[in-house]
Amino acid sequence: MTPTAHLPAPAPGSDHRDGTGRRTPADRGPGRARRALRAVAILACVPYVSLKIAWVAGSEIGIPAGSVLLERRELLAVANSITVLADALVVVLALLLTRPWGRRVPAWLLVLPMWAATGLLAPITTGYPAQLAVALLGGDERAAAPAEPFLDPWVFAVVYGGFILQGLSLGTLFALYARDRWGRLWRGRLGGLPARLSGPGVRATALAGAVLALFPTVLHVRWLFGSTDGMSARQIAQRDSDAAVLEAQWIVFLVVGVAATLFLVLRRPAAAKVRTIVAAAWVGSGTAGCWGAYMSLVALMPEADPAKQVTALMRLAYAGEMITGLLLAAALAVVLRRRSAEA
């Protein structure tokens, strides 16, 4: 089961015409704020896409001499072409979330890419500013940049800055869109949810995700406090404040995703707002599932240098995060689907 379970059709009042034949707000297009957010989301893609296209064309702008990126130009070109297409999806989503025709798109066709976009962008939106703050407070000049030649420092600022703007603008647009189209699904408090929304199967799925999350969470805690178990020689050599920030945030996202999903399926604490818990489960499951999947793919890439080879324990951690995210998302999707059937 995946997070693409069907959500309901647009709520009454979001159709293009009302009972008198007059045009509704949904048909008149987005307001000024949404148009501004759409522009920010689209313009934020330009620096990243421009760099990627330049690299595909053979440019070495922003890539220092000796960078590992120059060792496999063919693989770099393929990877950059794929990421350009992925970033172009942000433009499609920004239009979908702000145009009248976006209300007619099947729910699963929007939910899956937005879940993935949330999961991939949320850690960057929180992690990069945290790394810069730690570097500023601690005087760590290596913060937010790798120890060995990879990319020039300015590239990180440009690319991650664009990602942060994409995450904030696209996330806000989706929150507004979801409120208009499906807002009734997460009204009220957990204690008011019917027990039938989360049967034994849903609770078992959420519990399985929680149990599976223990493995990568424990590893991240150990790595945060200095353990090198399961790390490659390169990862050990690159341990710094940046790495500590990343370990801390992976722990937070895993714990938040698991806790929110369990709260939702158990309907406890009763006073908690449904929308808050759903949002936390959405972000937490997306981060674990999508980054776990991405890192699992990266770990499968061949590596001739033994010092850079991903260890078996690290691969298991990535796989555990991916499966955890998918299980949590599945439980969330079923609860929302069942509630939509009753709405």
Side-chain angles (χ1 to χ4, degrees), residues 44-53 83-84 87 158-159 163 166:
C45 299
V46 174
Y48 181 76
V49 172
S50 299
L51 275 173
K52 292 290 186 174
I53 292 176
T83 53
V84 166
D87 214 43
V158 170
V159 171
F163 283 158
Q166 290 176 33

Side-chain angles (χ1 to χ4, degrees), residues 87-98:
D87 214 43
L89 181 61
V90 173
V91 177
V92 176
L93 289 173
L95 293 173
L96 187 154
L97 294 172
T98 55

Side-chain angles (χ1 to χ4, degrees), residues 23-275:
R23 298 168 68 85
T24 66
D27 193 49
R28 289 196 290 268
R32 182 177 301 175
R34 299 195 196 199
R35 290 197 300 271
L37 288 169
R38 179 177 63 197
V40 170
I42 294 174
L43 291 176
C45 299
V46 174
Y48 181 76
V49 172
S50 299
L51 275 173
K52 292 290 186 174
I53 292 176
W55 291 340
V56 170
S59 173
E60 297 181 7
I61 181 174
I63 305 177
S67 172
V68 65
L69 296 176
L70 300 177
E71 297 176 3
R72 301 177 180 178
R73 292 184 179 274
E74 297 80 6
L75 184 60
L76 177 64
V78 173
N80 285 332
S81 299
I82 294 174
T83 53
V84 166
L85 293 176
D87 214 43
L89 181 61
V90 173
V91 177
V92 176
L93 289 173
L95 293 173
L96 187 154
L97 294 172
T98 55
R99 299 303 302 163
W101 53 265
R103 298 297 184 91
R104 301 191 294 272
V105 171
W108 67 268
L109 195 58
L110 168 62
V111 169
L112 179 57
M114 275 306 310
W115 180 77
T118 301
L120 292 172
L121 292 173
I124 297 175
T125 303
T126 58
Y128 187 64
Q131 288 177 331
L132 294 179
V134 170
L136 180 63
L137 295 175
D140 185 355
E141 296 180 355
R142 295 195 309 163
E148 64 181 30
F150 185 66
L151 289 171
D152 291 336
W154 66 265
V155 176
F156 290 91
V158 170
V159 171
Y160 287 164
F163 283 158
I164 291 172
L165 289 176
Q166 290 176 33
L168 294 175
S169 56
L170 201 63
T172 303
L173 285 174
F174 180 66
L176 295 171
Y177 178 101
R179 181 198 63 186
D180 295 342
R181 184 170 178 179
W182 304 305
R184 65 192 186 281
L185 299 187
W186 40 78
R187 290 174 184 161
R189 301 184 182 274
L190 291 182
L193 294 178
R196 57 184 174 273
L197 294 183
S198 54
V202 177
R203 291 193 294 270
T205 299
L207 182 60
V211 172
L212 189 58
L214 290 174
F215 174 65
T217 301
V218 169
L219 284 178
H220 284 302
V221 171
R222 288 177 55 82
W223 292 332
L224 176 62
F225 288 98
S227 172
T228 58
D229 294 341
M231 289 187 172
S232 66
R234 180 179 66 172
Q235 289 173 320
I236 294 174
Q238 292 180 341
R239 289 170 64 91
D240 56 11
S241 62
D242 282 358
V245 169
L246 294 179
E247 297 297 351
Q249 80 162 8
W250 294 137
I251 296 169
V252 171
F253 279 116
L254 278 168
V255 171
V256 167
V258 167
T261 306
L262 289 177
F263 289 164
L264 181 64
V265 300
L266 298 176
R267 298 175 293 114
R268 294 290 184 275
K273 292 183 178 180
V274 175
R275 65 184 180 189

